[in-house]
Structure formats: C-alpha cells, structure tokens
Amino acid sequence: MIDLRSDTVTRPTEAMREAMARAEVGDDVYGEDPTVLELQERVAGLFGKEAALFTPTGSMANVLAVAALVGPGQEVLCEARAHIVRAELGAHGALTGLTTRTWSHPEGQVDLAAIKDMYAPDMGPFFVRTTAISVENTHNFAGGAVLPIDDLQAVRAWATSVGCAVHLDGARIWNAHVATGTPLADYGSVADTISVCLSKGLGAPVGSLVVGTARMVDEARVRRKRLGGGMRQVGVLAAAGLYALDHHLERMAEDHAHARLIAEACGVDPAGVPTNIVVVDVPSAPDVVAAAAEQGVQVGAVGPQRVRLLTHLDISREDAERAAKVLGSILG
Ligand SMILES: Cc1ncc(COP(=O)(O)O)c(C=O)c1O
C-alpha cells in the first residue's frame, strides 16, 4: 500500500531506531533526561527562544501554549479551519475555559483587517477580552498553505501595539521553512509561543514541543503534569527527534516535489501546492477512496466531495509516480 492519508504514518528508519536505542535517559519529570534536555535546548535555539518543552502530541503542545497566553473567560482568534478549533475536540474550551472567534480565508491566510475588526480590548465586566491571535503555518486544512513571513510580521506588529499575544501552530513549520527558505528564527520572532511537531514531516514516531519564554515553558510544564503528560525516560523518543532534525529536515523538499507531481495527475494546479498536502475536489470522496485503495493507494476523505493526500518520508519517487498514475486514471 502507498499510504498518502497523512504524514504521520511514517515508521522510524533503522538509523533512527539505532539512535533511539543508544539514547542516554533519565527521569524527565525530575528534569534529568539528558536527551530530552538536549532536544528542548536545540529546538528553543532554532527559533531564537529561551526554552522549550517536550510533549507527547501537537494537540497537547497547542493546549499548553495557548493556555500560557489566554486565561479562562478570555478569547483567542484564529482562522476558521485552524487545527486548534476544528480538530482538537474542543480541548482549549474544555480544559482552559477560553473561547474562540474565527476569521475565514479561502487559503487559510491571515486577514489582518478582520482580526482588527474582531479584536476586543479589556472592557471590564462586559465583553470577552481578546488576549491572543493564533496562526497556523503551514495550514493543514487549507492544503498545506504557507503563511508569508511579511503577513506574520504585520500581525505581530499590530498585536504588539495593542498588547495582544501571538501563538504559532507550527506543527508543519518545517515544511514552511523548507518551501520558502525563511529562517526558523524569523518564524520565532513573530510569535510568543510556538508548537512544533516531530511526528509529521520529520518522520519521528512521536513528540512535539512548546517553545517560548522560560516563564511560559515553566507554566506549560506544570500544566503538562496536571494533564498526565509528565513522562519519564523519554530520551528514547527525544533521540528520534534529534535524529530527524539532523537527517530529515532538508529532504522535505522531495516531499513537496512529490506532492506537486501527484497534484498535476489529479488535475490540481501544482502552483497551488506549496508543500506536502494536496486537496482534491471530487464527485464522491468515498468512491475515490475505495477505488484508489483497490489499486494500492490510500487517500483520506476530508469531506463528502474532498480527498486529501500527504507525501512524506516513506513515499519514494517511485511511489509518487505510481500514486499519480493510479489517481490520474481514477480522476481522469
Ligand atoms: C496544524 C496541526 N496542528 C496540530 C496538530 C496536532 O498534532 P497531534 O496529532 O500530534 O496531536 C496537527 C495534526 O495533524 C496539525 O495538523
């Protein structure tokens, strides 16, 4: 099977498994796992931030990061299809007690005019106060769209001028970095907190990080423990992340090329596919999913008439060519 349902389906390579097996470990709840400490320091440094915290998932990283910026009864603004409002099962409302309002953009981009319009300052005991804006780069449900750094800088400058924080859901910030050449530190400079995932394009089996100031990360550590996310000898997992940063980052350009190849076969303009996600509108998503599976290609339905395909570490050029052929014949 050629599995294009998600970039989370990758399996650790032999070399990654060796790095995991060799990892030095300790009890991370005591802050004594040297490999976790190394990963946290390295990722914080990449984004020019003071500190980072290892978490089991991107969803937990988002909850911890946003909770460091937005309190109970306050609100965070984000795009209507953002992962934090569509795919985290209400975690931010349920666990933090915050509310959300959204702007809509067909390509998942920021809309500063809409943000300015929605923004609510502290008005005492009358209205919900906006304390953060969350942006998602790349934007998953907008087909892996990249948010241009200029737009993010404009949001950051305006948010700072009104005393509002910015969170960056950077589960796939690595793809944005590879696609545009924008330094990771530039992305770090436009946000107070960043969540990043090791288990998507980077190909690690598990793990994400919250990145921010030392104070925010200390708060996140407390909340992580409260949620049952205090982990022990997880240097074996952090080692996979360190290995992935060394060996799987720049190669993502191949995933992006494979995505464009598959897009073209599906009748989607490759110019509109900046990273590793292809969204295709089809007459019947279940029919396309079933027909592709019959020919050895797995794709995911993300709506009754929409399928989504992601390329990743376990998709070779040959796999991409074969998938393009199969999907081209079904959709042609
Ligand atoms: C943009 C974005 N943020 C956060 C997450 C959550 O990551 P996890 O599945 O590790 O909870 C995902 C997962 O696909 C995502 O696409």
Side-chain angles (χ1 to χ4, degrees):
M1 272 289 181
I2 297 172
D3 195 344
L4 301 173
R5 289 169 304 161
S6 175
D7 50 7
T8 57
V9 300
T10 57
R11 292 179 174 83
T13 62
E14 274 313 310
M16 182 182 276
R17 286 170 193 259
E18 269 170 38
M20 294 169 76
R22 278 198 316 268
E24 258 189 78
V25 296
D27 190 328
D28 183 52
V29 173
Y30 288 94
E32 290 172 4
D33 188 304
T35 312
V36 171
L37 294 175
E38 184 186 339
L39 174 68
Q40 290 175 165
E41 199 173 311
R42 171 133 176 227
V43 171
L46 289 174
F47 291 92
K49 295 290 192 203
E50 284 176 356
L53 181 75
F54 191 48
T55 62
T57 64
S59 299
M60 189 189 280
N62 276 336
V63 167
L64 299 178
V66 175
L69 307 176
V70 186
Q74 300 177 342
E75 74 176 357
V76 56
L77 307 180
C78 63
E79 205 278 325
R81 284 174 294 164
H83 199 276
I84 66 164
V85 283
R86 294 297 302 128
E88 292 174 12
L89 305 183
H92 299 262
L95 302 172
T96 307
L98 56 74
T99 62
T100 54
R101 273 191 300 156
T102 58
W103 73 88
S104 283
H105 189 289
E107 278 106 44
Q109 297 293 319
V110 295
D111 181 340
L112 188 50
I115 292 170
K116 287 181 182 174
D117 207 39
M118 274 193 286
Y119 172 74
D122 186 358
M123 291 170 74
F126 295 101
F127 291 103
V128 175
R129 176 183 168 198
T130 311
T131 51
I133 297 160
S134 179
V135 293
E136 185 175 313
N137 195 15
T138 65
H139 194 309
N140 182 347
F141 298 124
V146 173
L147 274 47
I149 189 70
D150 294 354
D151 289 359
L152 296 174
Q153 283 164 345
V155 169
R156 173 62 160 181
W158 179 79
T160 304
S161 75
V162 294
C164 183
V166 177
H167 170 61
L168 167 60
D169 178 349
R172 295 186 181 80
I173 196 68
W174 321 108
N175 297 88
H177 160 68
V178 169
T180 62
T182 304
L184 292 170
D186 287 10
Y187 289 126
S189 73
V190 296
D192 296 282
T193 53
I194 309 158
S195 58
V196 300
C197 288
L198 305 167
S199 57
K200 302 191 166 65
L202 282 175
V206 65
S208 293
L209 294 102
V210 182
V211 191
T213 64
R215 184 188 58 76
M216 286 166 188
V217 168
D218 281 348
E219 269 181 39
R221 184 174 291 106
V222 173
R223 288 199 178 92
R224 182 186 70 175
K225 184 71 161 57
R226 191 174 289 137
L227 293 175
M231 301 176 288
R232 304 294 177 174
Q233 286 73 15
V234 278
V236 285
L237 302 179
L242 285 165
Y243 180 89
L245 287 170
D246 285 335
H247 298 95
H248 296 166
L249 182 54
E250 298 309 328
R251 64 148 302 286
M252 279 185 206
E254 290 169 33
D255 298 341
H256 301 171
H258 295 162
R260 286 191 291 271
L261 181 101
I262 295 171
E264 199 157 18
C266 295
V268 172
D269 181 0
V273 178
T275 57
N276 68 326
I277 304 179
V278 186
V279 176
V280 194
D281 290 323
V282 295
S284 160
D287 287 356
V288 171
V289 170
E294 234 167 67
Q295 297 187 61
V297 178
Q298 285 179 290
V299 301
V302 287
Q305 295 188 307
R306 185 164 282 180
V307 294
R308 194 185 63 154
L309 309 88
L310 285 88
T311 53
H312 50 74
L313 183 63
D314 288 358
I315 299 297
S316 64
R317 181 80 189 177
E318 213 181 10
D319 292 335
E321 282 168 0
R322 163 115 189 92
K325 208 162 160 203
V326 167
L327 291 164
S329 73
I330 293 168
L331 298 169

